[in-house]
Amino acid sequence: MKPINIALIGLGTVGCGVYQTLHIHRQRLEKLVGSPINISTIIIENPDKHQKISAKTNITTDVNTVLNNPEIDVVFEAIVGKEPAFSLLKRCIQAKKHVITSNKEMFAIHGEELKRLATQYNVQIGYDATTAGGIPIIQTIQQLLKANQIQYVQAILNGTTNFILSAMREKNITFSTALDEAQNWGYAEADPENDIEGFDAYYKLMILSDLIFEKQPDLKYVKRIGIRDITEDSLQGLQTEGKRVKHIAKIGYDATGNLTASVEPEAVSKEHPLYAVEGVNNAIHIKGDIVGDLTFAGPGAGSFPTASAMIEDFCILFKKEQAAIAGAPV
Ligand SMILES: NC(=O)c1ccc[n+]([C@@H]2O[C@H](COP(=O)([O-])OP(=O)(O)OC[C@H]3O[C@@H](n4cnc5c(N)ncnc54)[C@H](OP(=O)(O)O)[C@@H]3O)[C@@H](O)[C@H]2O)c1
């Protein structure tokens, strides 16, 4: 039986999670997708860092080995930043390969173009890992909430800021001590600006916006405030009133019909759906016009939670392919 041939672009935190998951759970995954799975090629930047990869896998810096190999069916992309990721994925789609990405910064800006291109070339694009890590929010909205019109979303989309705010309140420590702790635990990047100033949450919010509202808000209707100026004293004071501060990303239509979005700290009380979300966890609260309020919570980042979202995309994609081959409805 012909295997599903996979290429991986990036073998860092997320790429390693995908690589290991495909090995550890191979038997179960092969049963699910109905074919043998083969990791054919891995593209990285610094070959010297990756000596332990199986000799059966071609590990290289040359993306043409993927583009020129018609046997490769699907490309998992897990590198950082808009470029070269966008150009690489465009070329993969044009070479008629399915793609699965975890790259939120790239996808927030170029996602719509990649989706159009994927339709044009009759391939699939999976991007559940771009938003809220292991929480399967994209597939849930795409597959399971088709009849509902989602009216608004409010969410904690960045685990680093949620960890910092939780630690400052619980331990009565300063912002910079909590940031050091986050970095020591490996939750925050060496340059944590993207998280702390709310850019990371904003990228994920824009991906949700494209999916739910089929557009992104005009920049004049977007507010973004970071958490750097929050003090431990203000968190203690709010705690005595029964409140916690959360860095909340929101999107929805306002009373005048404009699509508005914000990422900013907000003091919430016990009744709020995001009050109990602590530490590095993420959560997404949505209001559907039929179902009402729904909240999804779980690990928003990390090697295996993010790999989990990519592997779920992979299984959905190839189960659909098998069904199409067998003539069953997809
Ligand atoms: N980390 C998380 O928890 C998480 C969660 C959700 C989404 N994401 C997203 O997932 C993506 C990957 O994150 P990460 O944390 O895994 O990053 P990472 O640990 O820094 O790994 C990046 C990988 O990309 C490779 N790379 C960089 N530039 C490349 C290029 N031009 N061509 C080929 N390979 C290249 C690097 O190669 P070398 O190893 O050879 O240097 C490395 O293996 C990012 O877009 C991130 O925003 C991450």
Side-chain angles (χ1 to χ4, degrees):
M1 186 186 279
K2 183 192 173 301
I4 297 170
N5 287 307
I6 293 173
L8 252 175
I9 306 182
L11 197 64
T13 305
V14 175
C16 279
V18 170
Y19 181 83
Q20 287 179 35
T21 303
L22 288 170
H23 277 95
I24 297 166
H25 303 288
R26 177 184 295 276
Q27 248 185 336
R28 171 152 42 100
L29 295 171
E30 288 184 340
K31 209 167 153 194
L32 265 172
V33 297
S35 303
I37 293 170
N38 174 41
I39 305 177
S40 146
T41 307
I42 300 178
I43 309 289
I44 36 73
E45 201 172 31
N46 305 290
D48 299 346
K49 278 165 61 181
H50 308 281
Q51 309 286 354
K52 288 192 196 147
I53 298 302
S54 149
K56 281 194 284 180
T57 301
N58 175 22
I59 184 150
T60 170
T61 56
D62 181 7
V63 74
N64 288 316
T65 55
V66 173
L67 297 170
N68 297 335
N69 181 350
E71 293 295 311
I72 291 177
D73 303 288
V74 56
V75 175
F76 285 75
E77 181 262 319
I79 66 175
V80 180
K82 296 187 275 287
E83 287 294 353
F86 172 54
S87 306
L88 289 179
L89 287 195
K90 246 168 74 171
R91 293 170 69 200
C92 289
I93 291 171
Q94 284 161 342
K96 301 212 56 122
K97 298 177 189 318
H98 302 296
V99 298
I100 296 173
T101 180
S102 61
N103 188 332
K104 55 220 160 187
E105 185 178 352
M106 180 279 297
F107 206 76
I109 291 154
H110 298 298
E112 285 308 287
E113 189 177 340
L114 288 179
K115 285 186 218 170
R116 274 197 300 278
L117 202 64
T119 307
Q120 186 186 335
Y121 282 85
N122 199 23
V123 294
Q124 303 287 320
I125 182 156
Y127 60 99
D128 214 317
T130 59
T131 306
I135 306 173
I137 191 64
I138 302 288
Q139 290 288 2
T140 300
I141 294 172
Q142 273 177 336
Q143 313 270 346
L144 304 177
L145 285 171
K146 285 183 174 160
N148 274 266
Q149 210 166 49
I150 295 174
Q151 294 167 325
Y152 69 79
V153 177
Q154 54 178 335
I156 293 173
L157 293 174
N158 184 273
T160 307
T161 51
N162 204 47
F163 174 88
I164 291 172
L165 291 171
S166 304
M168 286 173 73
R169 190 196 72 247
E170 271 175 9
K171 302 180 187 170
N172 197 18
I173 54 177
T174 63
F175 169 81
S176 67
T177 307
L179 173 57
D180 284 347
E181 249 184 51
Q183 282 173 325
N184 289 340
W185 280 101
Y187 299 144
E189 306 283 330
D191 176 7
E193 235 22 39
N194 245 354
D195 295 330
I196 285 159
E197 296 302 334
F199 290 106
D200 178 80
Y202 168 75
Y203 296 141
K204 295 165 180 170
L205 196 61
M206 292 305 104
I207 292 170
L208 287 173
S209 182
D210 278 332
L211 176 63
I212 297 168
F213 303 108
E214 294 178 347
K215 61 178 181 177
Q216 296 187 4
D218 192 303
L219 269 187
K220 68 179 179 229
Y221 297 115
V222 177
K223 190 170 164 193
R224 186 191 42 75
I225 301 174
I227 62 160
R228 192 181 287 280
D229 295 334
I230 293 175
T231 64
E232 64 279 23
D233 290 346
S234 66
L235 294 180
Q236 297 305 318
L238 284 162
Q239 180 152 253
T240 59
E241 296 169 26
K243 290 184 174 169
R244 290 177 179 173
V245 173
K246 297 288 163 193
H247 201 207
I248 298 183
K250 288 185 187 165
I251 190 150
Y253 283 100
D254 68 10
T256 55
N258 292 309
L259 186 61
T260 61
S262 59
V263 180
E264 59 183 327
E266 185 178 329
V268 297
S269 50
K270 273 199 176 74
E271 303 71 42
H272 194 280
L274 303 177
Y275 175 89
V277 181
E278 291 278 84
V280 282
N281 277 339
N282 281 194
I284 297 142
H285 176 82
I286 60 183
K287 191 173 186 70
D289 62 347
I290 306 172
V291 67
D293 294 303
L294 290 173
T295 306
F296 304 85
S303 187
F304 286 110
T306 312
S308 161
M310 298 183 90
I311 298 290
E312 292 290 355
D313 274 346
F314 169 78
C315 289
I316 288 170
L317 199 164
F318 283 95
K319 272 166 81 176
K320 268 191 197 166
E321 286 233 319
Q322 292 295 354
I325 291 162
V330 288

